[in-house]
Amino acid sequence: MPQPRATDADSPALPPAPLHAIDWAALRGPLLVALPGAGCTPAVLGGLRAPGWTVQPVDWAEPPLCPHSCDPRQVARRLADSLRQRAQDGHAGPVVLLGYSVGGVLAMLTALQPGLPVAGLVVGNTGAHSARHGDPAFAQRVREAWAPPAQHDFLRACFAQMPPSALWRQLCDYLASLPPSALLQSIEGLRALDLRPDLPSLHCPVLVLHGEQDRRRGVADAIELAACLPMARLQLLPGGHTPMVDCLPRYLRALHPFLAGLHPPRTDAGARPA
């Protein structure tokens, strides 16, 4: 599928695309790969933008068919295999992985795959493990009573305030189209992970952005996660589990300096600063 290139500093994120349909080699220049949480449409990442960077949200679950495993380790291997050649191309530009919730774990797991030189990570509203997860009965509800009211309660808990109506409809439709078995793969795979032994080997810069009103992942998870990463900086935001929707301007004000430090934007004359 042809992939447009975002060149304008104010260009929004590219449309979300299934992982198998993205031609990574066509996305030249600095690339921000954006990964949503389990059960959430990648449309929640549609407000992301960064001067000089192409932002590509990825639908890694691909409902309704979900042709591949949604277990986080399996998704990370698929993503790394898909991105490896692009990330290894020294002339294509840096690659940064951004994710929140399960998407944040996917970003870290992907960066841990061999032969994948990423320039940095942006992770949020997740943790190195799930022992303190704020919704321990989530998997049981998906197995036993996953009707629309339960789906809507789950989605509502992902935001500090009600998201815009158009996005809410997209969220509800996406979750309704996602087979419960695929969602369970994500949830149970996440609960089985403890990344604390592996995270010290991630030596790229990491920005941990965490909505301090999150009802699913507490601030303690963010503090612990940042402490496990050798080059991490933690910034709390006035949002919930999905701060790139709850407080997008604040999210972008934290994101842009981090990305600029990894790859300074072009000057007006089109040259890189010395």
Side-chain angles (χ1 to χ4, degrees), residues 135-239:
D135 189 1
F138 184 26
Q140 182 178 352
R141 289 201 308 280
V142 174
R143 285 192 205 94
E144 298 176 359
W146 199 232
Q151 296 173 15
H152 297 169
D153 286 346
F154 158 70
L155 290 172
R156 186 66 188 86
C158 292
F159 301 89
Q161 54 194 3
M162 195 69 180
S165 57
L167 177 58
W168 179 253
R169 288 192 296 271
Q170 287 179 283
L171 286 158
C172 294
D173 290 346
Y174 184 92
L175 186 56
S177 73
L178 182 67
S181 58
L183 183 57
L184 277 171
Q185 285 178 336
S186 301
I187 300 166
E188 293 175 338
L190 178 69
R191 301 291 166 92
L193 288 171
D194 186 345
L195 297 181
R196 284 174 290 187
D198 302 315
L199 294 180
S201 66
L202 280 177
H203 290 285
C204 62
V206 182
L207 177 62
V208 179
L209 296 178
H210 192 93
E212 56 192 346
Q213 300 173 48
D214 191 348
R215 290 182 277 168
R216 308 185 71 81
R217 290 285 197 162
V219 171
D221 288 303
I223 294 171
E224 180 186 46
L225 177 61
C228 289
L229 293 157
M231 299 179 65
R233 180 170 66 86
L234 169 63
Q235 184 162 344
L236 299 179
L237 299 171

Side-chain angles (χ1 to χ4, degrees), residues 93-115:
V95 174
V96 170
L97 306 177
L98 177 151
Y100 77 100
S101 190
V102 174
V105 171
L106 293 178
M108 292 185 286
L109 285 172
T110 302
L112 286 165
Q113 299 299 307

